[in-house]
Amino acid sequence: MSALDDKINQHFAGLVVRKDLVKTVKGNATVPSYVLEYLLGQYCATNDEATIQTGIETVKEILRKHYVHRNEAGLVRSTIKEKGRHKVIDRISVSLNDKDDVYEAEFANLGIKKVLINAGTVKAHQKLLVSSVWCIADLEYEYSEEKSGSPWVLASLKPIQISRFDLDGYLAARKQFSTDEWIDLLIQSLGFNPQMFGKRNKLLQLIRLIPFCERNYNLIELGPKGTGKSHVYSEFSPHGILISGGEVTVPKLFVHNGTGKLGLVGYWDVVAFDEFAGKQKRVDKALVDIMKNYMANKSFSRGVETLGAEASMVFVGNTDHTVPYMLKHSDLFDPLPEKFHDSAFLDRIHYYIPGWEVDVIRGEMYSDGYGFVVDYLGEILRTLRGDDFSDRYKKRFSLSNEISSRDRDGINKTFSGLMKIIFPNDDASDAEIEEVLRYAIEGRKRVKDQLLRMDHTYPEVRFAYQSSDGQEVLVHTLEEEEYPSQYHRQLAADISLQELPFDVMGVAPVAHAAPAMEMLASPMNAAAGSDLVLKEQHLVFHENQRGVSFDKLFGPYLATSKRIVVTDPYLRAFHQLRNLMELMETISKQKSPDDEVAVHVVTVEDEFNGDRQTESLQKIADACAEVGIQFTWVYDTTNTLHDRDISTDLGWKIVLSRGLDVFQRFELNDAFSFANRLQQHRPCKAFNVTYVHDIRQEHSIG
């Protein structure tokens, strides 16, 4: 186990489970993760390997004996008949038979209906009336000669969710973890390996949890297929329900005016709409109208009566086009059905998760470490719905006066939700509060910026905040940094491109607002000749930013150089040495075929795999010799090497905060991936580059 896993088991003994066990016990059972983890939490919530193995066998035996597979339903029904009584795990729903004045249960996998259930059980578990709930139930078989009678009798029923927990104990244990450790624990609780995600991607994953701890929170996530958008809403908690976007009606979602039966929003904490995108989908206009009212006012009408509810609404769907394509031709809400592509509806959205930043889930991204039993965490988050952390930033920061009350509401609810998830003890530092506030502002800004493109009657907004010392900070979305020419424009049908100013958003074109990629000189071939003027500058790149390449970052500054020194103590792992080889490719593009360039690398020998490192560096040297690059290297033995930079004989020094290791993980062996073939398609880590020129250093490096 890792040090973090040891710490998790020390402070949350009996409340955590090893996440790879879910796959071990699941087999072909189509049950949500929270059902399996409920069982694993009963028998495997420990770090003792012998107990875990015994517990796994126990859980497998329970599933074998009691979980109902649809194709084995007949066998299970026969077992109940022969034994007279048998325990089953199944999805159960209940309806009222008003003719006979009784409640009747239906077992989805078992395939039986009209099972009598007493009113007390229904009253205790009212969700059974509006949707299927996973339960452990004791069923009895008593044959009756009455034609209308049912032989099935429900002896007992228990929804699969924990019955009690200690919030104070949870808060006390949280104090034993640093912020980074706590975030990693939460990511492992979701089933993912935190080592495979950057800080920004981790926070985007946690934003998906806000609807579970924040009442009436409206969230949308649109992005490519396979990024796990709907997973958390179907697998994470028994308090959330995932429904297909095309399967919902006004009576099912809100209230049936004929029967008075309350809909999903009255019983679930989170109602998530899967496959919400699709321009050709037919949508009931009445549903859109009532959803607008509910998302804005937390209420809906039933005839002359107005009812309230606390369910959060989540909309997830797939995009068909790239981000720059959507920005050029429409907006980031482009995939939605026409009736939902409505500014009044979308203005109710509190946060837009940029799904295109989330990696497609791969096998190595799953965790084998310890995380909370998800049902336990789900109950904790549900309890925190009653708290309000939305004012926690106001002692240190204030929002711009230009931000409207609806925008403030979205920002405040996101801020409150993230604070509850990461800092439930309300002990965040000023820097941590500021980081959460920036994420909260960014998600609402993404919504509002698209509304400005769709409906020009919306006023322009300066999304900024001020610290207590009066310093103003503008907030930008990542796609605004990556694609400024497409982002800061209205559709061609509405305004001529010649009339479009640079400052569409009311943001002055100062260095802070200018995207880093815009400030880079275009790559050029020195052999072709050019009047390009290089300049000293400092560029900041954000996590998940794309469009970065060594050709753009370094190419112009290395052109015409004859001697280059690369200093980086971390050229050890395969991906780091591959980065070095790709830098050699950039240098080869800049040099004339009839010239030679000397490149000298200063690094540190890997104490565990030094032979492999030396072999790889020699392979690079051999390859470089074929294209006119004299590649040499040396291992620094002083144990004082910390600098990461590239220096040239023309006096340029490029200071690198992360060395050459600026790209996030990608599949190195996938020959059919653009991220593998072209650097500009890879998401970046957060890093910065400083270009400094010292004429005294020209021709001085060896």
Side-chain angles (χ1 to χ4, degrees), residues 168-312:
D168 291 336
Y170 173 86
L171 297 177
R174 165 64 181 94
K175 295 179 181 179
Q176 308 304 315
F177 293 78
S178 69
T179 300
D180 288 340
E181 287 175 335
W182 186 252
I183 290 174
D184 285 354
L185 166 54
L186 294 172
I187 294 299
Q188 287 188 177
S189 298
L190 293 176
F192 297 121
N193 179 359
Q195 302 305 314
M196 302 296 295
F197 296 85
K199 178 69 173 293
R200 180 177 172 86
N201 271 341
K202 291 176 185 178
L203 292 178
L204 290 178
Q205 294 285 345
L206 297 185
I207 288 171
R208 290 172 169 175
L209 299 181
I210 294 179
F212 291 99
C213 68
E214 195 70 24
R215 293 169 177 159
N216 301 104
Y217 185 74
N218 306 319
L219 177 70
I220 192 168
E221 179 176 358
L222 302 175
K225 298 177 181 178
T227 57
K229 293 185 291 295
S230 60
H231 169 78
V232 71
Y233 307 110
S234 63
E235 303 280 319
F236 177 74
S237 170
H239 302 300
I241 183 171
L242 180 71
I243 57 177
S244 172
E247 294 180 355
V248 67
T249 61
V250 172
K252 181 177 181 180
L253 189 58
F254 293 103
V255 67
H256 193 292
N257 283 338
T259 64
K261 182 179 178 181
L262 198 59
L264 297 172
V265 298
Y267 297 98
W268 296 89
D269 291 346
V270 180
V271 178
F273 298 82
D274 195 12
E275 301 174 357
F276 188 66
K279 288 187 175 183
Q280 307 305 318
K281 285 188 175 180
R282 299 179 61 183
V283 178
D284 182 1
K285 183 64 165 59
L287 175 64
V288 179
D289 291 338
I290 195 170
M291 287 179 70
K292 285 182 193 177
N293 185 65
Y294 173 75
M295 292 165 65
N297 304 316
K298 310 169 190 175
S299 63
F300 53 94
S301 297
R302 174 198 167 195
V304 296
E305 184 181 8
T306 299
L307 303 174
E310 298 180 352
S312 295

Side-chain angles (χ1 to χ4, degrees), residues 437-454:
L437 181 61
R438 287 181 66 89
Y439 273 91
I441 295 173
E442 179 195 331
R444 176 58 190 178
K445 172 179 164 59
R446 183 172 290 107
V447 173
K448 197 58 172 283
D449 286 354
Q450 303 315 303
L451 293 176
L452 286 167
R453 298 165 67 91
M454 295 167 57

Side-chain angles (χ1 to χ4, degrees), residues 82 123 156 192 236 248 273 296 316 330 473 505 524 533 550 563 616 636 650 677:
E82 297 303 323
K123 187 175 181 180
S156 68
F192 297 121
F236 177 74
V248 67
F273 298 82
V316 295
S330 180
V473 179
M505 301 301 296
M524 54 173 289
V533 177
F550 288 173
R563 294 189 300 278
S616 297
D636 181 87
L650 300 181
R677 311 299 300 174

Side-chain angles (χ1 to χ4, degrees), residues 122-147:
V122 176
K123 187 175 181 180
H125 309 292
Q126 294 189 29
K127 287 182 184 177
L128 292 165
L129 290 166
V130 290
S131 183
S132 299
V133 177
W134 282 96
C135 301
I136 298 176
D138 276 315
L139 264 180
E140 296 179 352
Y141 185 89
E142 296 179 1
Y143 179 73
S144 172
E145 294 186 355
E146 296 182 14
K147 292 183 179 180

Side-chain angles (χ1 to χ4, degrees), residues 68-79:
V68 181
H69 294 272
R70 288 182 182 272
N71 58 349
E72 298 177 352
L75 177 61
V76 176
R77 290 197 297 267
S78 174
T79 299

Side-chain angles (χ1 to χ4, degrees), residues 624-641:
C624 286
E626 298 178 4
V627 296
I629 298 176
Q630 299 172 359
F631 181 93
T632 58
W633 80 91
V634 64
Y635 291 134
D636 181 87
T637 58
T638 64
N639 295 322
T640 60
L641 184 63

